[in-house]
Amino acid sequence: MGIELDWVVLAILVAFIVYSLLTNAVDRSLITLPIIFMCLGFLVSDPLNAAAPPEVLNEGKRLLAEITLVLVLFSDASRVQFSKLRQDWALPFRMLLIGLPLSIGIGTIVTLLVNPAGGIAMALLTAAVLSPTDAALGLPVVASPEVPERLRETINVESGLNDGLVLPFVVLGATLAAAGGSVAQTDGLALSALSQIVLGPLAGISVGWLVAKGMDFAQSRDLTAEAAEGVVFLATAFAAYVAAQVIGGNGFIAAFVAGMVFGNTYRNDIRFVHEFMEGAGQLLTMSAFLVFGALLLPDGLAHVTPRAMLIAVLFLTVVRMGSIWLSLTGSGLPSREKLFLGWFGPRGLASILFTLVVMDEFDIPGEAELLSCVSMTVALSILAHGLSATPLASRIGRSGQSGDAGKTD
């Protein structure tokens, strides 16, 4: 058994190396990182499950989910600079504060209509888990100079903040679903969920502000080596998580808030956070999509139903695109750009990690249905958004140039 597992692990590590060596070549193709590692995970699913005990796999995927989610939440939030956002805040503001609640609300209604037996609590949880977007799936769009800067920045800000903003809805939905969906049965669970949502941000604010001020103080006196900056990032993200757990708050919400406070309090260049996530962070991302393909997707396919497939398609189209279209009404954007922003709301890392954590922390009656819906939505999104990113980026660039030329004439 040990030898078989060693061979599987070796094959995975070789795939990591080969991908890293061919990164630029992959970026020029239609194939994306999530597509590659989802497919690789699916290919090694059987040998991996045969070689490793179930308890080891379960513990490993939970640990990976927690570590990756904490770092992603902190890193994404730290990138959003309020000073820059004030210059062009209208589109992200509309999509986050109008489009995101609409997506959760419409998604809850759609899920309840398609699967009324699941109940409103499971419908809310499903909608919350499937609402955050992942810019990594549409990286050719975010990185393409052909796409107008305002659209790229809007997608960046939205994907950076919506996973943290949706967390309270995930906690509430999971709490109600675990309690049977009845408020009368929750007893102290509702209060516990409320305390997590309130105390989590308090821990995040405290840790983020104190470390940012401490780092400014140390660097102004040349006390900090440049190599230690990455350690500060890691320690701060996990300190916020643990501090929240200690006082009864939600650690993931704390990590998100800590990142936002740290990024906007720290006076020096925060590039060390981004550099870490581009290196070690990418390894975590590759691992997360591999785990999805190996451990979640096969289970999702095993329990797939026509209802789950319909919910997946509706979330990627009607729910997402309809919510964004409504939120951008009156913004002055042309229809093609509204549709573009609506389409590029791919589901990926956050939905995967939320599902792993929720399934581990809560005893949810409709767990198989939830896993099936999330797996199908993420798998379809990885393929559809990954393959359409480059062509649509070029098309929206040409459309923008044509529009500008028309205005000039």
Side-chain angles (χ1 to χ4, degrees):
M1 178 179 292
I3 295 175
E4 292 178 2
L5 182 58
D6 288 344
W7 279 108
V8 174
V9 172
L10 179 60
I12 291 170
L13 293 174
V14 168
F16 285 174
I17 294 170
V18 171
Y19 172 83
S20 300
L21 293 175
L22 301 176
T23 303
N24 287 337
V26 173
D27 288 344
R28 291 191 292 268
S29 72
L30 294 179
I31 306 300
T32 62
L33 179 153
I35 292 176
I36 292 171
F37 287 96
M38 177 185 71
C39 293
L40 174 63
F42 192 73
L43 288 174
V44 302
S45 176
D46 288 340
L48 186 61
N49 280 282
E55 58 272 15
V56 172
L57 293 177
N58 289 333
E59 188 63 30
K61 71 182 182 183
R62 168 60 196 265
L63 182 61
L64 174 67
E66 287 192 338
I67 291 173
T68 306
L69 189 53
V70 168
L71 295 181
V72 166
L73 288 169
F74 187 96
S75 172
D76 284 353
S78 71
R79 295 170 185 261
V80 180
Q81 299 295 307
F82 295 149
S83 57
K84 295 180 181 178
L85 193 57
R86 281 197 296 267
Q87 301 170 12
D88 193 11
W89 57 270
L91 295 181
F93 179 89
R94 283 171 171 268
M95 292 173 67
L96 288 167
L97 298 188
I98 302 175
L100 182 59
L102 276 175
S103 180
I104 295 173
I106 296 173
T108 300
I109 294 170
V110 165
T111 305
L112 194 58
L113 289 174
V114 174
N115 184 28
I120 191 168
M122 278 302 298
L124 172 62
L125 176 59
T126 303
V129 167
L130 291 177
S131 289
T133 60
D134 185 356
L137 294 182
L139 190 59
V141 170
V142 177
S144 173
E146 295 181 279
V147 178
E149 185 178 356
R150 69 181 183 281
L151 299 185
R152 282 186 281 129
E153 186 62 21
T154 297
I155 292 172
N156 255 328
V157 172
E158 186 206 12
S159 63
L161 291 179
N162 64 8
D163 45 7
L165 294 177
V166 84
L167 263 170
F169 296 98
V170 174
V171 173
L172 179 61
T175 302
L176 292 175
S182 172
V183 177
Q185 296 179 30
T186 60
D187 295 330
L189 288 176
L191 182 60
S192 173
L194 181 62
S195 68
Q196 287 191 56
I197 293 169
V198 172
L199 296 176
L202 290 179
I205 291 170
S206 302
V207 172
W209 186 85
L210 285 172
V211 175
K213 287 297 184 182
M215 196 167 178
D216 280 333
F217 177 85
Q219 288 185 326
S220 67
R221 288 157 178 78
D222 196 25
L223 301 176
T224 306
E226 186 175 343
E229 293 175 340
V231 177
V232 174
F233 156 56
L234 285 173
T236 305
F238 290 114
Y241 176 85
V242 174
Q245 299 283 81
V246 168
I247 65 174
N250 185 278
F252 299 112
I253 296 177
F256 174 75
V257 173
M260 192 180 302
V261 172
F262 183 90
N264 286 277
T265 303
Y266 182 59
R267 294 198 305 264
N268 296 294
D269 193 344
I270 202 171
R271 71 182 185 279
F272 60 88
V273 173
H274 311 151
E275 288 172 353
F276 178 90
M277 291 304 291
E278 287 174 359
Q282 188 177 58
L283 182 62
L284 289 173
T285 301
M286 290 188 286
S287 301
F289 282 109
L290 186 140
V291 166
F292 169 70
L295 304 180
L296 267 70
L297 184 57
D299 283 346
L301 288 171
H303 297 96
V304 69
T305 62
R307 287 196 307 269
M309 288 299 298
L310 179 58
I311 289 172
V313 172
L314 289 175
F315 264 91
L316 294 177
T317 55
V318 175
V319 175
R320 163 69 186 186
M321 298 179 76
S323 301
I324 295 303
W325 182 281
L326 290 173
S327 72
L328 296 174
T329 300
S331 64
L333 282 183
S335 297
R336 65 175 180 275
E337 294 188 358
K338 291 180 187 177
L339 291 172
F340 184 81
L341 290 174
W343 172 244
F344 278 105
R347 307 316 197 277
L349 201 56
S351 295
I352 295 169
L353 299 176
F354 285 156
T355 303
L356 285 172
V357 172
V358 163
M359 287 171 57
D360 189 81
E361 287 191 359
F362 296 87
D363 184 15
I364 300 171
E367 196 172 274
E369 188 79 22
L370 175 66
L371 177 60
S372 180
C373 288
V374 173
S375 297
M376 293 304 98
T377 306
V378 173
L380 289 175
S381 182
I382 287 173
L383 294 173
H385 291 108
L387 294 174
S388 65
T390 299
L392 289 182
S394 299
R395 184 169 181 176
I396 197 71
R398 290 195 301 270
S399 298
Q401 290 172 1
S402 300
D404 293 342
K407 290 177 183 178
T408 303
D409 294 340

